[in-house]
Amino acid sequence: MASSEETAKRRKVKHVRPNALFEQWITEWRDEAKEKGLQTAYTYNKALASLKLYPLPFKSGKECSLLKNFGAKLCSMLDKRIEEYKAANPDDTRFSSETSGLPKPSPTKKANSPKKRRAPAKKKQTQPEEDIVEDLETVSVQIAPGQVQVKLIVDCSETAAQKASQKMTAKELELQGIPYEVRDLNVGDFLWLAIAPDGTELVLPFIVERKRSDDLAHSIKGSRYHEQKMRLKMCGLNVIYLIEATKHHTALPQETLYQAQTNTNIVDKFCVHNTSNVKETVSYLATMTRVLQRKMNGKFIKSCGVDDGPEYSLSAQTLCLYSFKEFQQGSVKIEVGILISVPKIYFKVTF
């Protein structure tokens, strides 16, 4: 029997706030940007959200580049602050290579790389906040009432799942005069965009995950079921879990599928909708599209950041939506296997 000392040695270390200093510094920069009225305060806020989701410590700003919203400028600022901190606190080892949350290099590579990185002493940064993550800066967009176009987006993997289903879905949408476009979605099978006259695309607060009953049975037996649900919960939209009946779903008893639907509705808080076939599914999507077109036509719509979105009702006159680009970037998995996504669901919708 293992002794208590041996058991204690095997315990894994839990990092409550593995990057507390990074959080502190970024918070300081965010607050300074807010005081100056700079939009980069929003970018700092998004970087903080990504950092807080990462469970392991970083030893440099450069390592943070694998996280969402960490551009070259922000990583460089962190590296500079680390050098200042190490000079003032020589006995602090938190930024040594042993504490890194990333894999260590092999000994051969280490032997062939004798150079030590030092903080670059090139040019001064008078106002570094202005171009920290240029590719993620948000441009404010406003859409006046009557100028918005609502379009249904169909995931390409959804339409390619079965050729017969693909042809029928496209045919029915065209017959009903529903504007749609096939794209690659990082999560979900269908969603709707509010498109401004200049082409800017904002995401409306609904996403549909379609499950054929036989596919649902296979998902429950496998590992996809809970992983897909978690990603849907974190996408920031109201989830419609659409279950399309099929003749063959022998992988599980019908009672098990009913129980799964109930759990999805009550536990996961998803709206569960059942259809009998592809044609009925498309009819439901068409109805949703028309309802959203009618509701959006008289609204004043403006863009906002994921973390800045207010709770609202579709009965409100002004709506704040975030961009399709943000939705896609916020619904992917990074290499280390951690889901970096929208940290909250702020769309509370009533008709």
Side-chain angles (χ1 to χ4, degrees):
M1 183 180 293
S3 66
S4 58
E5 292 182 1
E6 291 175 337
T7 303
K9 288 180 181 178
R10 290 198 298 266
R11 288 175 183 168
K12 294 182 179 180
V13 177
K14 293 184 179 180
H15 303 281
V16 179
R17 290 181 63 202
N19 298 289
L21 274 179
F22 282 12
E23 291 179 24
Q24 176 186 326
W25 297 337
I26 296 174
T27 300
E28 291 173 2
W29 294 331
R30 180 198 65 188
D31 293 344
E32 290 174 6
K34 279 185 178 179
E35 291 178 4
K36 296 177 182 178
L38 298 174
Q39 282 191 341
T40 46
Y42 158 71
T43 302
Y44 285 125
N45 217 33
K46 291 175 64 181
L48 270 174
S50 295
L51 183 63
K52 288 176 181 178
L53 289 173
Y54 194 79
L56 300 174
F58 287 121
K59 67 178 178 65
S60 70
K62 184 178 180 181
E63 288 183 353
C64 294
S65 62
L66 63 84
L67 295 180
K68 179 173 173 272
N69 302 317
F70 278 81
K73 290 288 184 180
L74 181 53
C75 293
S76 177
M77 289 169 64
L78 287 171
D79 281 329
K80 183 178 180 181
R81 183 62 71 90
I82 288 172
E83 293 300 323
E84 294 172 356
Y85 180 84
K86 288 166 68 176
N89 303 273
D91 296 328
D92 194 327
T93 61
R94 75 180 71 193
F95 295 117
S96 63
S97 58
E98 288 78 11
T99 61
S100 174
L102 298 181
K104 297 178 182 178
S106 62
T108 54
K109 289 183 179 179
K110 197 171 183 179
N112 294 331
S113 305
K115 295 182 180 180
K116 293 183 179 180
R117 284 191 82 251
R118 299 198 178 191
K122 291 184 178 180
K123 54 185 180 181
K124 295 181 180 178
Q125 293 180 337
T126 55
Q127 201 172 28
E129 302 95 340
E130 294 181 352
D131 54 355
I132 293 170
V133 259
E134 298 87 348
D135 57 328
L136 289 177
E137 285 293 353
T138 312
V139 178
S140 179
V141 175
Q142 296 183 346
I143 309 175
Q147 295 186 357
V148 67
Q149 176 191 0
V150 174
K151 179 182 287 188
L152 172 67
I153 301 300
V154 182
D155 181 42
C156 61
S157 60
E158 169 70 11
T159 56
Q162 292 186 350
K163 289 185 177 180
S165 176
Q166 176 184 10
K167 292 179 179 179
M168 188 175 293
T169 299
K171 180 181 178 181
E172 290 297 324
L173 287 171
E174 289 168 2
L175 285 174
Q176 300 202 37
I178 300 301
Y180 76 96
E181 186 176 336
V182 177
R183 296 191 192 178
D184 181 28
L185 297 176
N186 290 330
V187 64
D189 296 317
F190 305 93
L191 58 77
W192 289 266
L193 296 181
I195 304 176
D198 65 355
T200 302
E201 298 176 333
L202 304 177
V203 180
L204 288 169
F206 296 97
I207 188 167
V208 177
E209 175 73 12
R210 176 167 78 169
K211 284 287 185 187
R212 290 163 49 93
S213 54
D214 54 351
D215 183 41
L216 175 61
H218 288 297
S219 296
I220 293 173
K221 292 186 69 175
S223 60
R224 292 185 299 136
Y225 184 62
H226 295 291
E227 187 269 339
Q228 286 178 343
K229 279 190 175 182
M230 179 59 67
R231 297 185 69 205
L232 286 165
K233 285 180 182 179
M234 296 186 71
C235 77
L237 307 178
N238 295 277
V239 181
I240 300 169
Y241 209 74
L242 191 150
I243 301 173
E244 185 180 292
T246 56
K247 295 180 180 179
H248 307 287
H249 47 78
T250 56
L252 288 174
Q254 187 66 49
E255 292 75 13
T256 303
L257 296 183
Y258 287 148
Q259 185 61 54
Q261 293 182 44
T262 302
N263 292 342
T264 300
N265 180 233
I266 297 175
V267 179
D268 300 307
K269 309 296 184 185
F270 293 174
C271 173
V272 177
H273 185 81
N274 290 273
T275 62
S276 302
N277 48 48
V278 175
K279 188 171 183 178
E280 195 170 309
T281 294
V282 174
S283 178
Y284 176 78
L285 295 171
T287 300
M288 278 290 296
T289 304
R290 293 191 185 101
V291 169
L292 290 172
Q293 286 173 333
R294 187 174 69 251
K295 291 284 184 181
M296 294 301 111
N297 192 47
K299 306 293 184 186
F300 181 82
I301 301 173
K302 60 182 181 179
S303 62
C304 65
V306 170
D307 297 321
D308 302 327
E311 293 186 2
Y312 69 88
S313 164
L314 282 182
S315 61
Q317 189 61 32
T318 301
L319 302 180
C320 296
L321 307 173
Y322 63 91
S323 70
F324 179 69
K325 180 180 179 182
E326 270 193 290
F327 168 81
Q328 287 288 78
Q329 291 173 330
S331 304
V332 297
K333 293 177 182 177
I334 58 175
E335 292 180 0
V336 291
I338 295 175
L339 181 66
I340 302 298
S341 187
V342 181
K344 62 182 179 180
I345 298 178
Y346 64 83
F347 293 109
K348 303 295 183 184
V349 179
T350 56
F351 290 91

